Amino acid sequence: MTKVPSVIHWFRLDLRIHDNLALRNAINEAENRKHHLKPIYFLDPDIKDKIGINRLRFLIQSLQDLNSNLKKLNSRLYCIRGNAINYLPKLFEDWQVKFLTCQVDIDPIYVEQDEVIEKIAEEKDIFIVKRVQHTVYDYNNVLKKNNGSVPMTYQKFLSLVQDVPVKECIEITKPISDDCKSKDGDLKKYDVPTLEEFQIDESNLEPLKYPGGETEGVKRLHMYMGRREWVCKFEKPNSSPNSIEPSTTVLSPYISHGCLSAKLFYHKLKEAENGMPHSDPPVSLLGQLMWREFYYTAGAGTKNFDKMVGNPVCTQIPWGKNDEHLKAWAEGKTGYPFVDAIMRQLKQEGWIHHLARHMVACFLTRGDLWISWEEGAKVFEGYLLDYDWSLNAGNWTWLSASAFFYKFFRVYSPIAFGKKTDKEGLYIRKYVPELKKYPTAFIYEPWKAPKSIQTTAGCVVGVDYPKRIVDHDKIHKENCTKMSTAYKLNKERKAMKRPFPID
């Protein structure tokens, strides 16, 4: 019996049915040619060792939801344990693939992977269609509009896209024909795995605050966009980094995994703002989405964007190395309760407010610990539900004053900053429970509490809670001097066109 050829849609950061042009292309091709449609996703069997449990759980749930939504279209997801370079060539043969669609990805790991796959596909005469569909704008066109250069300021980026129309989103609702539905024998091996397959007992995990998947992402979007007055009045600086419940939408994990289209978010924001007075970028919700677009454009146009050395937009700074301090920061044991509460929330829940990210990133780098932003970016890559290659690198270079932001002398205080929105320290009491009985006067600075108060509160500094690993008042001034020296040296070397030596 002759095998029916197949059309593959390769899901990556587009775990959704709505606004998925590459998937629509695959469906149309399968229908026109009467080929089988094979929607696939590659899941690294070692992924548990590469990302945090919260992010893995979110991904698994997103894949399960995607499979359910594909079944409504008379299809299903083929979840393949392994990497694309090893397995796609075999699938090309076994499934007699003639056509493949996927989204464009700018993460260098996947750019290199795609180059290998495209070469194999060309040898096998397989046609590939790739779509830019993880952003509102095509960053390639934005770069062309700027004469091939990366816009180095947010305002410059906005000027480049202000007149660019954004196409409407189309949802796929029509089921595919039975002719295009694959009739393979053993499909169970392609089922989406459970956490149990990764030897993870879900009952031992923290309660799930943000379930993964397109269904939940779209539901959350509509819930917030229905609050038009809140949307129009939203201003980033007025939201709270240490509120017990999020003061923002927490749509970022859904957008970063592609469960929710950035374009759909854009259009819903425009609808909410239409006819009403509203805040403007950069502080508005639309402004927050545009930050994402800005960093994607910068990431697409900058070599070594996620590194310091070899990154043309990044100031070369001779950061120090201190594994003990890095570990204390990552585990929320710095002795500064506000910093520790943020890092513990991140580890427990996979999400923290963007201003909280500012606080801990500044603390790790130029503010207090003088540790490279690359080390912090690695920790965030593991913990964040909404990890995104370009945003992670862009935000860390910004907060470390390595690129885009150069007022290095503006340092977040690990004491005063949190007090602005949470004088009682309720956030600290939740995420650093050993301090929950401390008087308000000492909740941000427990080392100042008399020994009798520490004993009464059941938490002695240096015994039950760490001593401060640095003295912020002293160290941040020393680091400002180091930053000033690094800036001057960079300027001199650029003038002489000489490379910067990094020890």
Side-chain angles (χ1 to χ4, degrees):
M1 183 178 175
T2 305
K3 278 189 176 181
V4 177
S6 296
V7 172
I8 285 179
H9 174 67
W10 179 6
F11 281 103
R12 304 194 312 182
L13 296 178
D14 59 332
L15 307 182
R16 62 180 186 269
I17 304 301
H18 74 273
D19 189 34
N20 196 327
L21 181 56
L23 175 60
R24 283 170 51 210
N25 291 154
I27 291 173
N28 290 340
E29 190 69 18
E31 292 281 9
N32 291 338
R33 294 177 178 270
K34 303 300 181 188
H35 289 179
H36 286 166
L37 176 68
K38 299 286 182 67
I40 67 173
Y41 184 88
F42 287 102
L43 189 63
D44 186 345
D46 298 324
I47 193 171
K48 178 185 172 183
D49 301 323
K50 298 176 181 177
I51 66 174
I53 289 177
N54 284 314
R55 190 162 141 220
L56 176 58
R57 175 168 53 170
F58 188 95
L59 173 61
I60 294 298
Q61 290 179 342
S62 299
L63 294 174
Q64 290 169 341
D65 184 65
L66 176 61
N67 188 42
S68 296
N69 290 336
L70 284 169
K71 285 181 177 179
K72 294 173 185 175
L73 298 178
N74 198 32
S75 186
R76 63 155 291 159
L77 183 66
Y78 290 73
C79 193
I80 300 159
R81 282 79 163 161
N83 69 67
I85 292 177
N86 290 339
Y87 279 84
L88 256 183
K90 187 174 187 307
L91 295 181
F92 287 161
E93 293 293 334
D94 292 349
W95 292 348
Q96 294 189 16
V97 176
K98 303 297 182 185
F99 196 87
L100 180 146
T101 67
C102 63
Q103 71 159 52
V104 176
D105 200 320
I106 64 171
D107 185 329
I109 293 174
Y110 299 109
V111 170
E112 291 177 13
Q113 170 192 264
D114 287 358
E115 289 174 354
V116 175
I117 297 301
E118 286 168 17
K119 186 175 181 181
I120 295 170
E122 185 178 0
E123 292 171 355
K124 295 180 178 295
D125 199 26
I126 297 169
F127 192 73
I128 296 181
V129 171
K130 299 177 74 173
R131 299 289 186 181
V132 175
Q133 56 185 40
H134 198 43
T135 49
V136 176
Y137 302 104
D138 185 333
Y139 31 81
N140 297 309
N141 292 337
V142 178
L143 290 168
K144 286 178 186 176
K145 200 172 181 182
N146 200 41
N147 299 317
S149 299
V150 171
M152 289 303 294
T153 68
Y154 178 78
Q155 292 301 329
K156 176 62 177 178
F157 170 80
L158 290 184
S159 72
L160 293 169
V161 300
Q162 63 180 350
D163 297 323
V164 178
V166 180
K167 291 182 179 180
E168 291 297 325
C169 301
I170 297 176
E171 188 169 354
I172 302 168
T173 56
K174 182 183 177 183
I176 66 168
S177 66
D178 285 336
D179 290 337
C180 296
K181 186 174 182 179
S182 182
K183 307 197 173 45
D184 294 339
D186 181 19
L187 293 178
K188 193 167 182 58
K189 65 181 179 180
Y190 297 118
D191 286 350
V192 177
T194 62
L195 286 176
E196 190 177 0
E197 187 174 315
F198 294 95
Q199 288 81 51
I200 297 173
D201 185 351
E202 194 164 1
S203 65
N204 292 331
L205 303 183
E206 294 288 331
L208 181 65
K209 295 191 72 169
Y210 314 109
E214 177 181 15
T215 302
E216 179 66 24
V218 172
K219 175 184 172 184
R220 195 174 186 91
L221 173 69
H222 289 311
M223 177 183 73
Y224 277 98
M225 295 304 101
R227 297 165 55 185
R228 290 187 68 193
E229 186 175 354
W230 179 84
V231 170
C232 292
K233 288 183 176 180
F234 180 89
E235 292 187 352
K236 171 187 168 181
N238 296 331
S239 57
S240 172
N242 47 7
S243 55
I244 300 301
E245 290 301 320
S247 57
T248 56
T249 64
V250 194
L251 288 172
S252 54
Y254 302 94
I255 294 174
S256 68
H257 283 79
C259 304
L260 180 64
S261 157
K263 279 185 190 171
L264 181 61
F265 187 23
Y266 172 89
H267 285 302
K268 292 301 179 183
L269 281 171
K270 284 292 190 180
E271 285 178 19
E273 292 179 350
N274 188 33
M276 291 182 68
H278 56 80
S279 56
D280 295 311
V283 298
S284 64
L285 274 177
L286 183 60
Q288 301 310 292
L289 182 58
M290 290 301 102
W291 277 112
R292 181 177 187 272
E293 297 292 310
F294 169 62
Y295 282 138
Y296 253 89
T297 302
T302 305
K303 187 178 180 181
N304 298 313
F305 189 58
D306 60 345
K307 298 177 178 62
M308 181 178 75
V309 177
N311 181 343
V313 305
C314 186
T315 301
Q316 305 297 296
I317 298 170
W319 301 108
K321 184 176 176 61
N322 190 318
D323 291 340
E324 287 186 11
H325 282 185
L326 177 61
K327 187 171 186 285
W329 174 83
E331 295 181 354
K333 295 179 181 179
T334 67
Y336 283 93
F338 184 41
V339 172
D340 292 344
I342 294 169
M343 293 306 295
R344 293 187 194 186
Q345 182 191 15
L346 173 59
K347 191 172 184 179
Q348 289 172 26
E349 300 174 6
W351 182 89
I352 49 176
H353 189 280
H354 46 263
L355 293 179
R357 302 179 196 208
H358 289 196
M359 173 69 252
V360 295
C362 180
F363 186 89
L364 179 72
T365 57
R366 61 189 170 86
D368 294 79
L369 301 186
W370 199 250
I371 293 173
S372 171
W373 60 267
E374 290 184 56
E375 297 298 330
K378 290 174 189 173
V379 173
F380 270 29
E381 181 178 355
Y383 286 165
L384 283 173
L385 288 181
D386 58 11
Y387 168 75
D388 192 306
W389 179 80
S390 57
L391 271 71
N392 197 41
N395 278 317
W396 273 100
T397 52
W398 180 293
L399 268 302
S400 63
S402 296
F404 310 116
F405 175 79
Y406 304 103
K407 295 179 180 179
F408 59 81
F409 46 84
R410 292 177 58 182
V411 173
Y412 288 90
S413 165
I415 299 160
F417 186 57
K419 286 183 178 180
K420 291 180 182 179
T421 46
D422 182 20
K423 291 180 181 179
E424 300 297 317
L426 298 179
Y427 178 79
I428 291 171
R429 296 178 201 278
K430 177 177 180 179
Y431 292 103
V432 190
E434 57 265 47
L435 297 174
K436 65 183 177 182
K437 293 183 180 179
Y438 262 64
T440 298
F442 303 110
I443 192 68
Y444 282 88
E445 301 171 278
W447 59 88
K448 288 187 176 180
K451 193 67 172 286
S452 60
I453 290 180
Q454 295 183 29
T455 303
T456 301
C459 181
V460 175
V461 174
V463 179
D464 307 298
Y465 180 70
K467 293 181 179 179
R468 292 181 295 168
I469 57 176
V470 292
D471 182 340
H472 172 74
D473 290 338
K474 179 183 177 183
I475 201 71
H476 90 272
K477 294 174 184 176
E478 295 176 6
N479 289 347
C480 275
T481 301
K482 291 180 184 177
M483 287 294 292
S484 180
T485 301
Y487 269 45
K488 288 175 184 176
L489 188 54
N490 271 264
K491 187 175 181 181
E492 290 171 3
R493 289 189 172 273
K494 279 186 177 179
M496 293 185 290
K497 296 183 179 179
R498 289 173 60 189
F500 191 97
I502 298 296
D503 296 332

